């Protein structure tokens, strides 16, 4: 166990780094840096931001960012609630008992009965008297019919929606938290996207929820086109195959 905020402040002072220089380098606001050094977690947006800021700040100072996140988790983080299976899904496992085994047996019995009935009908038909063929009539000639040419209608094919998107740190660093489906879905990515780098996001399994630390530094591309509508400050968006909206 060690003092999180005090060790961060001590490492910054040893390197003669003012808070303004740190803020410019890692794109974390000065008041958040001060809250980290004073361990005033209530001034930060939430646990996810605290962990991301701790890792980024510690790594920038040459410290082990994962060690700081583990220390925070052990002492301050709120444990996530376990996922509960709905009762209607839990009951389905018990329903495949004796009644479930009886249905295939009844189906097999019905098929056997149908096959036996068809076989009996064929046998009875083959043993009956043969009927003479009907008299043939003289062929008649008819004028050939002319058919109008068929019109071929062109089918309208809709363009496939893109299944991947790109988040680009075009104008600076920005912390990101990406979760699958919604704000309560599993985490896909969490960390700082450094300026000039790109994060590829898959949309094959549905939309993704993104929390952005510095949206003005980012661009989102969907299907090769720039997507508009990012928030002007820290905020959340829901990115789908059709676009994005505030979340």
């Amino acid at each position: 166990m060690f003092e999180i905020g005090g060790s961060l402040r001590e490492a910054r002072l040893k390197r003669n780094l003012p808070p303004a220089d740190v803020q410019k380098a890692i794109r974390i606001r000065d008041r958040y840096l001060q809250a980290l050094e004073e361990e005033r977690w209530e001034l930060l947006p939430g646990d996810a931001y605290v962990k991301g800021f701790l890792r980024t700040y510690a790594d920038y100072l040459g410290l082990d960012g994962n060690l700081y996140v583990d220390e925070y988790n052990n002492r301050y983080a709120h444990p996530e609630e376990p996922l509960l299976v709905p009762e209607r899904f839990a009951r389905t496992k018990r329903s495949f008992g004796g009644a479930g085994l009886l249905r295939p047996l009844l189906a097999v019995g019905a098929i056997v009965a149908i096959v036996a009935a068809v076989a009996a009908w064929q046998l009875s038909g083959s043993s009956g008297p043969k009927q003479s063929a009907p008299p043939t009539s003289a062929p008649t000639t008819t004028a050939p019919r002319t058919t109008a040419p068929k019109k071929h209608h062109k089918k309208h094919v809709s363009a496939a929606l893109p299944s991947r998107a790109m988040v680009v740190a075009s104008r600076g660093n920005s912390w990101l938290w990406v979760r699958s489906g919604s704000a309560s879905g599993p985490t896909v990515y969490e960390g700082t996207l450094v300026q000039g780098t790109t994060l590829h996001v898959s949309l094959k399994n549905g939309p993704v929820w993104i929390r952005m630390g510095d949206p003005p530094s980012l661009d989102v591309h969907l299907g090769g086109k720039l997507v508009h509508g990012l928030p002007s400050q820290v905020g959340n968006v829901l990115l789908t195959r059709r676009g994005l909206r505030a979340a």
Side-chain angles (χ1 to χ4, degrees), residues 181-206:
S182 65
S184 60
T187 298
V188 177
Y189 172 84
E190 180 183 355
T192 299
L193 194 64
V194 180
Q195 182 176 3
T197 59
T198 300
L199 176 66
H200 294 272
V201 180
S202 175
L203 302 174
K204 292 182 179 179
N205 297 326

Side-chain angles (χ1 to χ4, degrees), residues 52-199:
F53 289 169
L54 275 177
R55 181 180 290 109
T56 301
Y57 193 11
D59 289 342
Y60 174 72
L61 295 175
L63 305 172
D64 187 352
N66 292 328
L67 181 63
Y68 278 75
V69 172
D70 292 341
E71 183 67 18
Y72 174 81
N73 286 334
N74 293 333
R75 294 168 57 186
Y76 302 107
H78 302 288
E80 296 184 357
E81 295 183 358
L83 297 176
L84 299 179
V85 179
E87 184 179 358
R88 64 177 180 275
F89 295 126
R91 289 178 179 175
T92 57
K93 294 183 179 180
R94 297 192 297 268
S95 63
F96 297 104
L101 295 175
L102 183 59
R103 293 177 182 176
L105 296 178
L106 294 176
V108 172
I111 293 173
V112 172
I114 292 173
V115 172
V118 171
W121 177 78
Q122 290 179 343
L123 290 175
S124 62
S126 60
S127 61
K130 296 183 179 180
Q131 296 181 356
S132 59
T136 58
S137 58
T140 59
T141 59
T142 57
R145 296 181 181 180
T146 58
T147 57
K150 295 183 179 179
K151 295 182 179 180
H152 298 279
H153 299 281
K154 295 183 179 180
K155 295 183 179 179
H156 177 69
V157 179
S158 58
L161 296 175
S163 60
R164 294 180 66 86
M166 296 188 303
V167 182
V168 185
S170 303
R171 290 168 292 279
N173 303 342
S174 177
W175 181 84
L176 290 178
W177 186 17
V178 183
R179 308 190 76 164
S180 178
S182 65
S184 60
T187 298
V188 177
Y189 172 84
E190 180 183 355
T192 299
L193 194 64
V194 180
Q195 182 176 3
T197 59
T198 300
L199 176 66

